[in-house]
Amino acid sequence: MSIDEVGTFKASDNDRPVLVFDVNETLLDIDALKPLFQSIFGQPNRMREWFAQLILYTQALSLSGRYAPFEALGGGVLRMLGEIHGVTVSNDAVRALGDAVSTLPLHPDVAPALDQLGSAGFRMVTLTNSSGGGGRDPLADARVAHHFEHRFNVAQVGSFKPSPATYQQVTDTLGTMPECCLLIAAHTWDTLGAQAKGWKAALVTRGVNAPLEVENLYRPDFVEVDLARLTSSLISQFRNAT
């Protein structure tokens, strides 16, 4: 499939895709971490620097053929930022970050959207960079985990998104074709990775992200500011699907 063929769903595309949800920032509100970063660095927006660096190093590990759990890497990046900015990051601060990440709240639009999409007949799974082992489960705590027939994480392949293997495990496990999957994510690096594997993709900007408008790059099939608007678009697009 060429880049030109990927841009949008055609009106004849009536079969509902499998919706594959990213978790961190797409479903879970990472802005809840800002008070912790305020207490450590004196600046709440240092959280965004940490998150960007965390994603950078997940991709660096994948490209170099190495792997460490997302949670451990998050603590390491926190210590690294402390050294960069001349701030002592204690063991307690690293533990507090791990606890905060494992108890992130849902964005307010998530639960209603999942209810509507489930009622409309969409199959739904998650695919996250988190390792999925040992800690609390924010989606279970929020009572929305039942919407997902499978919960994929990158520990199963030892590589982070947007590594092709992370998306391949979804189609292999579900026994579906790439074009039958639609990734829903808040990050353009994730939508690009999914589309490179032949998936469709929807970008939920959450008011802090945007498509990457560069010639010959994939553009998401849907771009919406939040999950409520995306849900309306998806249900409208596939209302006649059987």
Side-chain angles (χ1 to χ4, degrees):
M1 180 176 289
S2 72
I3 291 175
D4 289 340
E5 291 173 320
V6 170
T8 57
F9 282 104
K10 302 179 181 68
S12 60
D13 290 340
N14 286 326
D15 291 338
R16 291 182 183 88
V18 178
L19 304 182
V20 184
F21 286 85
D22 172 56
V23 176
N24 295 314
E25 194 162 31
T26 304
L27 300 180
L28 302 179
D29 185 2
I30 66 171
D31 278 346
L33 300 174
K34 284 185 174 181
L36 176 61
F37 281 81
Q38 173 70 43
S39 70
I40 297 171
F41 294 99
Q43 298 183 42
N45 286 334
R46 198 68 78 196
M47 184 275 290
R48 286 286 167 185
E49 181 181 358
W50 166 81
F51 190 66
Q53 291 280 4
L54 177 57
I55 297 304
L56 170 66
Y57 282 99
T58 62
Q59 296 176 5
L61 287 182
S62 295
L63 286 169
S64 59
R66 306 292 291 176
Y67 177 77
F70 190 70
E71 296 78 8
L73 194 58
V77 171
L78 182 66
R79 292 187 188 279
M80 183 184 72
L81 283 186
E83 186 167 346
I84 291 170
H85 296 293
V87 173
T88 299
V89 174
S90 67
N91 291 336
D92 286 344
V94 173
R95 283 192 291 268
L97 176 62
D99 291 342
V101 169
S102 69
T103 56
L104 285 171
L106 295 179
H107 286 287
D109 60 352
V110 171
L114 295 178
D115 285 340
Q116 293 175 50
L117 291 167
S119 295
F122 287 93
R123 296 175 65 190
M124 294 181 282
V125 302
T126 61
L127 173 61
T128 179
N129 270 339
S130 299
S131 67
R136 294 180 61 174
D137 181 347
L139 298 183
D141 289 345
R143 300 182 180 179
V144 297
H146 66 280
H147 286 290
F148 305 109
E149 65 180 77
H150 202 103
R151 309 275 300 282
F152 294 96
N153 65 72
V154 301
Q156 295 157 337
V157 296
S159 185
F160 293 99
K161 295 186 291 179
S163 173
T166 62
Y167 308 102
Q168 186 68 45
Q169 68 167 322
V170 176
T171 53
D172 286 350
T173 301
L174 298 181
T176 189
M177 298 297 291
E179 59 269 24
C180 297
C181 291
L182 186 147
L183 178 77
I184 298 173
H187 313 107
T188 302
W189 53 262
D190 203 353
T191 62
L192 285 170
Q195 288 176 287
K197 285 293 291 180
W199 291 23
K200 303 295 187 179
L203 179 68
V204 180
T205 67
R206 294 291 181 202
V208 295
N209 297 312
L212 180 61
E213 302 288 358
V214 177
E215 188 177 0
N216 294 326
L217 290 186
Y218 300 102
R219 194 179 192 281
D221 300 281
F222 297 90
V223 178
E224 299 287 0
V225 69
D226 57 30
L227 200 53
R229 290 174 175 82
L230 176 62
T231 294
S232 295
S233 295
L234 289 173
I235 290 175
S236 176
Q237 176 79 54
F238 298 102
R239 63 185 178 275
N240 297 322
T242 57

